[in-house]
Amino acid sequence: MYSHGSESLIKQAREIQESELQKFYGRLVRLLQAKEVGHETIDSLQRLHLILSATKFTRILPPELHKRILLLISSPLEQLQVLSSAVLRETLPLSGQEVNYSHLNSHAASLLVSQARSRPDVAPLCAQLFRTLESRQSEGPAHSITHTLPILNTVITHSPECLTEEHVTLLSKKLVDWLRYASITQGGGTSSGGFFSGPRSRQPGPIAELDGTVSGDFFTVLCVGQGFTEDQWMNVYSFSMLRNWLLTYHSVSNCNTTADSDDRSEVDGSVISMVSATSSSSRLLPPKERLREKAFQYCQRLIEQSDRKAHKRTDTELQKACLVEAVCILDCVCLEDTSLVYRVFPCIKALYGRLCSDLSFARVLVPIAQFYLNHGEMAAVDCEPVWQLVFGRFPAELFNDPFLAHELLRFLRLNIENLQLRVPQYTLSFPNLLKFLAWDSSAMVDDFVDLLPSLVTAGTAVELLHTLLDLPCLSATLVLQLRSACLPITEPSGRILQALDAFRNPSVRGLFLFLLRGEAGSGDTIERLSTLHELLTESADWPRVIQCAQTVPVLLHIFFNTVIKVADEKLLAHLILVQLERSSLLLKIPKYIKEVHRVFSCHLLKLCKLHPSLVVDQSHELLEFAGTTANVYSKEEVYTHVVWVLGEYLSVSCDARCSVRLITSCFEALEAVLFEITSSAPPAGAVCPNPRVITTLMSALAKLASRSHDLIPRISLFFSKLRTVTRGGSAAWCSDEEDLVAIVTRGEELWSLLKAPGVAQSVLTPPPHVNTAQWHRDTNVAMPLQLRTITSLTHSQ
Amino acid sequence: MVRCFLVHTVCPVSALSAAESRVLYSRVFGPDETVQHEDLDPEERRLQQRERVAVVARQVRSAVTLSREASGRQLVEMVPGEEALALQEADSGVVRLRAGDPFSGEMSALWVAVQSLGFTMVCEPHENLLLAEGTLKNLTRHCLEHLHMLGPGSEVLLKGDRIDVLLSRLLPHGQLLFLNHRFAQSLEKEVSAYMTK
């Protein structure tokens, strides 16, 4: 597909020599001077376009050439229009370029729009477009006014203030005409031809619906005919821009009508809603309100038309797109005029009833859910079934539809506050919602970074943490679920044979079903988690699982940062325990375990810093963890941090419940481990412990000893032994000589510090006010600061 | 409306680094983004626009690579004539472009990846993405057919005007159109007439 040939073409275009380029320009000018336009001219223009677009810097054309190309824009030959427009887009406009706004074709207009620097540039184009629309006859081919609407749509998207009040009124009226009153007979177009065709066969027949039946109502985008009239084309273009138009000029904040007309439209609206809708009464409405009314009727008709069975697949897809658009427009219209809700809701409700059991319409049901969220309360409608669909069936069954996932998550993001308020099951639905992430992590992680904080509540925090840690398992399970549905039971499935077997095995199926649950609340996690991890061992190198594992640390950070805002100390204590427990209970993906440990360590530190009394509170579990030598080798990062927090926060100043006995038992546990790891080589299969573990253990022991002076002789004994043993320059438990020196030096520092126990205590466990810098307020310290400042000032002079 | 449409590589290109993508065709609709905000000269604006397009291409390339890796599907070589099949087998998805990266507002970049090329359409997120997806797939099929992209040629570089005409009918000025098969047929006839000249 993409070949060396293309690469070399681009290279040539980029590296063309100046002299060759000038020759080329000259040749092209000569070709354009000729009357005939031949293949060579077209070829050269195409090459010119490639040359101009291949470089980042802008090439400027010689003025003669530029002018000639500009003339081509109004050529009758479309290829010249297109090529000249494309070429001129890639270069700078000529200064002092005069633009003739009349007789602009579509390509010329797009060039003007792309070159527009500011509002004044676009305004004359706008004015010309409106002049074209106002005139009854269009001069060019049938499509010459059809492009006015797309251009106008571009203009109003970027600078809506370009249109005056008059323009808005005029176009509102035109839109009403095209949308509601387009012809209902087939357009001119080609007759079926043939020898026997005569005037009779050329009489235009009525338009038809997509299922072939003759149309009984006004023309819409879902009507077909042999050919189309101009106003039918305008019907299509009008509907295509209708929503943008309504959003730009009809949104509640945008209403620049006077107070009087506001009241009038409200009264009119409420009168109309009490009378059954007939188009005649709407003639009394001002243009904006009339457009709204017609938009409502058009959408209603589309919804009815979408129920028909279209003959072609592309038309069925179009019907779905029309449903989405219709619901969005109706939502827009109801937001603008809330009295319409009573007329619109039955329509939407009926549509919901029609579609809710068919998952292929899931993407239509998302805007319907938005409508229910916006107006359901006002209309006092039960929205429960809608939420069950959105939070229940969709994530559970359609997690692998990237477009649905994108739209559903966007819906959640836009309505977070509303959902948290009105939909209590939102915060319980995370096991289901996370399926989107587990399946397509790279695409969905961005959305979940935004959504996750809203899913963290005190009631479900622990379960959420477990769920996040097991996301890779969920990812593997979803893969198995899909494969299981596709493959028959007896056929060998190749690579994932074992895991698939396990998935289908009734005795362990419950484990998988827990992961696949739809709602939180049935338990934080399962007891046989290690069994599940074993069954899924082979999934550790599936790309989908690996991608999922890569997104978990980010989410864990967000989880912890959010949970400290909503959790009380009891919950935080529970979370610490979960961290300790799960640090050895993770799916065995190598980098994954390391990363999770790193996140745990970081947040363990943060939690304990915020609530130091947690350490004394959970001292039993922390000590158990710290006293297990195997943890030094298998969970080094977490172990180091646990030891550190024990050393730092196990003191009376942090929590009055800290007794001498507690300090002593902690000391003994850590001392035992330190002795063990520094007396022999590491066990088979493990590497030497990181020097940091050893120094952290030593510091922690020193800190504890400084708080209970009876322990000082014991630690001093250790330091002296350390010095003796390592005098040789190497040890079985430390492979690097420099590291060993560092460890021994640290030991010496701590040892000499402990020789003066009082000093040791204040150095190793400084009172809190020392750590918060307030030098300028501390009279003892301020003097040196003052002196230094004065010295530096006098010195510079 | 659609902000831009681009055709770019999603396979490794020898002259570029691993993550980069070669943009073979790009069309930005509407006046330049920065019109209201800064007083840049046209050259700067063109450069910025190109960089924005390059950022989109890179992000889509990365999304395509990850998606293909995750699904583990093998890429099957297709030959000219199998355009419809190539489209059926193509991967597709959507990337969320955050506000500021690279457009000032949030955007949704829909993509279809046919072997080594990606076809991307950047829309405002509130746009009808169902319609956009259909339009994108239709555009992709036409591009594959009219520019013989399944073959080894480089027509996409030299015959970009064909894509311009295609866009002018099916996505005029970035406007997504609700076209039933009859309207679509009529427009496609015009496009075919242009292509055969």
Side-chain angles (χ1 to χ4, degrees):
Chain A
M1 269 187 119
Y2 185 67
S3 59
H4 282 304
S6 306
E7 265 303 288
S8 68
L9 248 180
I10 293 180
K11 194 159 182 260
Q12 273 175 26
R14 278 201 166 144
E15 297 173 359
I16 187 168
Q17 298 291 344
E18 190 59 33
S19 54
E20 206 187 314
L21 188 58
Q22 292 301 330
K23 268 197 228 155
F24 177 68
Y25 287 158
R27 216 176 26 242
L28 187 51
V29 170
R30 278 197 300 279
L31 283 169
L32 292 172
Q33 279 170 335
K35 284 205 193 119
E36 292 288 313
V37 172
H39 273 305
E40 213 191 323
T41 318
I42 303 287
D43 257 346
S44 305
L45 282 169
Q46 287 170 336
R47 277 184 195 278
L48 178 62
H49 178 250
L50 179 61
I51 292 171
L52 291 178
S53 60
T55 53
K56 260 192 178 168
F57 69 87
T58 317
R59 292 190 199 270
I60 302 187
L61 296 174
E64 174 69 29
L65 181 59
H66 195 130
K67 285 202 197 97
R68 289 206 171 263
I69 295 181
L70 201 50
L71 288 173
L72 291 178
I73 272 203
S74 11
S75 158
L77 188 61
E78 191 179 2
Q79 196 167 23
L80 291 175
Q81 293 173 8
V82 177
L83 282 168
S84 54
S85 175
V87 162
L88 293 173
R89 268 202 305 272
E90 293 294 336
T91 182
L92 307 180
L94 275 177
S95 55
Q97 202 174 285
E98 279 294 315
V99 185
N100 180 6
Y101 288 98
S102 55
H103 307 291
L104 274 181
N105 57 57
S106 171
H107 303 290
S110 73
L111 175 65
L112 271 178
V113 166
S114 72
Q115 285 176 337
R117 278 181 303 263
S118 56
R119 186 149 64 92
D121 286 348
V122 186
L125 175 63
C126 255
Q128 176 59 31
L129 290 170
F130 275 98
R131 272 198 294 276
T132 320
L133 285 177
E134 271 178 303
S135 64
R136 292 246 115 198
Q137 295 107 347
S138 52
E139 286 168 29
H143 295 318
S144 70
I145 72 161
T146 51
H147 287 297
T148 53
L149 288 186
I151 301 176
L152 274 173
N153 191 43
T154 314
V155 168
I156 68 173
T157 306
H158 288 86
S159 27
E161 67 282 357
C162 263
L163 265 59
T164 65
E165 188 69 37
E166 277 170 27
H167 286 157
V168 172
T169 310
L170 171 68
L171 199 60
S172 299
K173 289 193 188 141
K174 287 252 163 217
L175 287 173
V176 166
D177 277 338
W178 286 320
L179 287 171
R180 183 62 182 79
Y181 301 110
S183 333
I184 51 169
T185 51
Q186 295 188 26
T190 49
S191 64
S192 42
F195 193 68
F196 295 102
S197 67
R200 245 184 301 139
S201 63
R202 293 218 191 95
Q203 200 166 44
I207 45 162
E209 300 290 335
L210 290 175
D211 59 1
T213 56
V214 169
S215 194
D217 209 342
F218 60 89
F219 185 87
T220 71
V221 295
L222 293 178
C223 293
V224 290
Q226 289 285 359
F228 297 107
T229 61
E230 187 178 80
D231 57 359
Q232 287 169 345
W233 278 103
M234 294 309 281
N235 183 295
V236 173
Y237 286 99
S238 302
F239 180 66
S240 301
M241 73 177 274
L242 182 60
R243 179 147 67 113
N244 198 16
W245 178 265
L246 292 174
L247 283 172
T248 312
Y249 294 110
H250 282 230
S251 64
V252 182
S253 54
N254 242 331
C255 265
N256 51 6
T257 52
T258 63
D260 266 338
S261 53
D262 265 333
D263 289 322
R264 187 162 36 96
S265 63
E266 241 186 73
V267 170
D268 275 339
S270 57
V271 166
I272 302 259
S273 63
M274 284 191 273
V275 176
S276 55
T278 51
S279 50
S280 52
S281 49
S282 66
R283 231 172 262 280
L284 306 166
L285 296 169
K288 256 191 180 177
E289 282 71 11
R290 197 150 174 254
L291 178 59
R292 208 166 52 211
E293 178 65 32
K294 298 304 171 190
F296 168 41
Q297 289 174 8
Y298 198 99
C299 292
Q300 222 175 7
R301 174 138 160 77
L302 283 181
I303 291 176
E304 173 259 314
Q305 282 176 302
S306 301
D307 206 9
R308 296 168 181 271
K309 201 98 177 62
H311 288 321
K312 300 221 182 237
R313 194 179 56 86
T314 51
D315 287 340
T316 315
E317 296 301 312
L318 182 69
Q319 283 176 320
K320 280 190 195 158
C322 285
L323 281 175
V324 169
E325 192 76 359
V327 174
C328 291
I329 292 178
L330 289 173
D331 188 28
C332 195
V333 149
C334 284
L335 283 171
E336 195 193 341
D337 179 2
T338 47
S339 66
L340 283 170
V341 173
Y342 301 106
R343 290 170 67 198
V344 174
F345 223 118
C347 186
I348 302 283
K349 196 149 178 247
L351 181 63
Y352 172 77
R354 223 168 82 195
L355 304 177
C356 60
S357 49
D358 187 347
L359 283 181
S360 65
F361 283 94
R363 285 173 74 181
V364 180
L365 285 158
V366 175
I368 292 181
Q370 179 74 71
F371 189 93
Y372 269 80
L373 189 63
N374 288 346
H375 309 285
E377 207 173 283
M378 185 182 161
V381 173
D382 177 28
C383 304
E384 206 34 55
V386 180
W387 307 135
Q388 270 176 26
L389 208 56
V390 167
F391 295 109
R393 279 195 85 189
F394 286 176
E397 300 183 51
L398 300 173
F399 54 84
N400 57 345
D401 179 346
F403 294 98
L404 175 70
H406 179 86
E407 290 174 341
L408 191 76
L409 292 176
R410 182 167 176 268
F411 164 70
L412 295 181
R413 270 187 298 120
L414 291 179
N415 296 283
I416 273 190
E417 280 121 19
N418 237 349
L419 287 170
Q420 281 174 313
L421 223 71
R422 306 238 192 101
V423 184
Q425 68 252 52
Y426 169 65
T427 48
L428 295 174
S429 60
F430 62 80
N432 249 352
L433 292 176
L434 285 170
K435 287 174 187 167
F436 287 126
L437 180 68
W439 181 258
D440 196 356
S441 321
S442 49
M444 301 287 116
V445 64
D446 211 42
D447 284 322
F448 274 94
V449 161
D450 290 338
L451 286 173
L452 191 62
S454 64
L455 292 168
V456 178
T457 66
T460 55
V462 175
E463 191 179 342
L464 180 57
L465 179 56
H466 281 292
T467 312
L468 288 174
L469 292 169
D470 281 324
L471 266 181
C473 298
L474 177 58
S475 181
T477 309
L478 292 174
V479 171
L480 291 171
Q481 188 182 43
L482 281 183
R483 295 272 187 116
S484 177
C486 300
L487 298 167
I489 294 177
T490 50
E491 199 178 342
S493 48
R495 279 196 72 214
I496 57 167
L497 185 62
Q498 278 184 326
L500 194 57
D501 269 349
F503 183 73
R504 288 168 169 164
N505 185 344
S507 64
V508 288
R509 195 155 167 76
L511 305 178
F512 294 102
L513 288 179
F514 177 76
L515 284 181
L516 292 173
R517 71 199 186 286
E519 252 188 25
S522 54
D524 292 338
T525 185
I526 43 178
E527 284 188 10
R528 297 160 69 196
L529 202 54
S530 49
T531 317
L532 182 66
H533 290 164
E534 250 173 64
L535 293 170
L536 290 174
T537 330
E538 66 182 280
S539 72
D541 61 356
W542 297 351
R544 206 176 283 282
V545 175
I546 297 178
Q547 281 180 18
C548 180
Q550 286 167 345
T551 60
V552 172
V554 164
L555 297 173
L556 287 176
H557 276 299
I558 297 176
F559 169 81
F560 280 113
N561 288 337
T562 318
V563 86
I564 43 180
K565 296 182 199 155
V566 300
D568 58 2
E569 266 201 39
K570 193 155 162 260
L571 178 56
L572 292 176
H574 196 167
L575 290 175
I576 291 180
L577 294 182
V578 172
Q579 286 178 63
L580 293 180
E581 187 198 332
R582 290 303 304 259
S583 59
S584 54
L585 204 56
L586 294 168
L587 189 62
K588 287 185 178 38
I589 311 172
K591 280 199 199 143
Y592 178 61
I593 297 182
K594 232 186 169 166
E595 286 296 314
V596 172
H597 283 181
R598 205 178 289 177
V599 176
F600 278 172
S601 308
C602 163
H603 289 282
L604 182 70
L605 218 56
K606 262 195 195 171
L607 282 182
C608 291
K609 197 167 185 194
L610 263 178
H611 301 269
S613 55
L614 278 173
V615 177
V616 171
D617 216 37
Q618 301 301 311
S619 55
H620 179 78
E621 283 77 13
L622 288 168
L623 272 179
E624 210 184 301
F625 187 89
T628 314
T629 315
N631 287 342
V632 173
Y633 300 104
S634 62
K635 296 166 219 157
E636 186 192 287
E637 186 83 23
V638 182
Y639 184 84
T640 313
H641 286 78
V642 169
V643 168
W644 194 89
V645 300
L646 279 171
E648 186 75 1
Y649 300 115
L650 201 72
S651 79
V652 173
S653 56
C654 291
D655 189 322
R657 296 170 294 168
C658 183
S659 61
V660 171
R661 204 156 61 93
L662 186 57
I663 294 181
T664 311
S665 56
C666 182
F667 183 94
E668 284 170 356
L670 295 182
E671 186 191 36
V673 175
L674 185 58
F675 267 125
E676 213 185 307
I677 62 176
T678 54
S679 59
S680 56
V687 294
C688 288
N690 194 321
R692 197 173 59 141
V693 181
I694 300 176
T695 52
T696 312
L697 274 166
M698 294 195 305
S699 307
L701 286 168
K703 286 176 191 170
L704 292 169
S706 72
R707 289 169 209 149
S708 173
H709 297 182
D710 302 336
L711 302 167
I712 293 183
R714 288 168 71 166
I715 190 71
S716 305
L717 186 63
F718 172 79
F719 288 138
S720 69
K721 271 203 180 144
L722 184 68
R723 190 156 58 162
T724 328
V725 161
T726 57
R727 200 160 278 159
S730 70
W733 44 270
C734 183
S735 46
D736 191 284
E737 201 183 303
E738 277 180 25
D739 286 343
L740 195 60
V741 168
I743 293 172
V744 173
T745 315
R746 193 91 230 282
E748 306 253 306
E749 288 170 6
L750 291 167
W751 190 11
S752 33
L753 199 57
L754 287 170
K755 284 185 184 147
V759 176
Q761 188 161 16
S762 52
V763 168
L764 293 171
T765 314
H769 75 261
V770 172
N771 279 333
T772 56
Q774 23 174 31
W775 306 114
H776 59 287
R777 276 188 263 166
D778 188 334
T779 47
N780 294 329
V781 185
M783 181 63 87
L785 203 64
Q786 289 170 23
L787 285 173
R788 233 180 281 136
T789 318
I790 294 171
T791 314
S792 64
L793 282 172
T794 52
H795 245 92
S796 55
Q797 272 153 5
Chain B
M1 60 177 269
V2 171
R3 296 298 285 270
C4 69
F5 172 75
L6 43 142
V7 180
H8 57 102
T9 57
V10 291
C11 58
V13 173
S14 53
L16 299 171
S17 70
E20 279 184 83
S21 169
R22 175 79 72 200
V23 177
L24 302 171
Y25 173 89
S26 75
R27 180 72 191 274
V28 177
F29 295 105
D32 184 60
E33 271 245 301
T34 51
V35 149
Q36 271 98 31
H37 306 294
E38 283 149 68
D39 206 21
L40 297 169
D41 60 60
E43 192 160 348
E44 280 266 338
R45 272 192 283 117
R46 177 175 174 267
L47 184 63
Q48 271 199 9
Q49 200 178 78
R50 283 183 66 104
E51 309 218 303
R52 261 184 246 130
V53 166
V55 167
V56 175
R58 270 202 299 276
Q59 293 212 29
V60 172
R61 159 133 171 73
S62 148
V64 172
T65 313
L66 288 168
S67 169
R68 283 179 167 170
E69 205 179 74
S71 67
R73 268 185 14 186
Q74 300 290 3
L75 284 179
V76 179
E77 274 293 315
M78 302 268 174
V79 292
E82 295 180 323
E83 280 84 12
L85 184 61
L87 192 61
Q88 245 184 336
E89 294 287 306
D91 306 297
S92 61
V94 52
V95 174
R96 175 187 167 201
L97 298 171
R98 278 188 178 266
D101 183 27
F103 294 93
S104 57
E106 184 180 314
M107 297 285 156
S108 299
L110 289 84
W111 55 264
V112 172
V114 180
Q115 290 170 39
S116 54
L117 291 181
F119 298 80
T120 301
M121 183 190 268
V122 178
C123 312
E124 327 238 297
H126 63 256
E127 197 69 59
N128 190 327
L129 295 183
L130 204 47
L131 183 66
E133 189 193 342
T135 310
L136 177 60
K137 290 192 168 147
N138 204 14
L139 283 173
T140 305
R141 183 174 54 86
H142 283 293
C143 285
L144 291 175
E145 279 170 11
H146 294 297
L147 289 160
H148 312 113
M149 282 173 156
L150 291 176
S154 323
E155 286 177 50
V156 60
L157 291 172
L158 287 172
K159 306 237 189 285
D161 61 300
R162 293 188 176 181
I163 308 186
D164 281 339
V165 166
L166 192 61
L167 291 174
S168 77
R169 297 299 191 272
L170 298 179
L171 195 64
H173 304 276
Q175 172 79 68
L176 289 166
L177 296 176
F178 289 86
L179 301 170
N180 63 47
H181 76 277
R182 277 273 171 214
F183 280 106
Q185 243 170 39
S186 174
L187 291 173
E188 282 164 13
K189 239 197 244 170
E190 284 182 32
V191 169
S192 299
Y194 179 91
M195 302 293 177
T196 52
K197 272 201 212 124

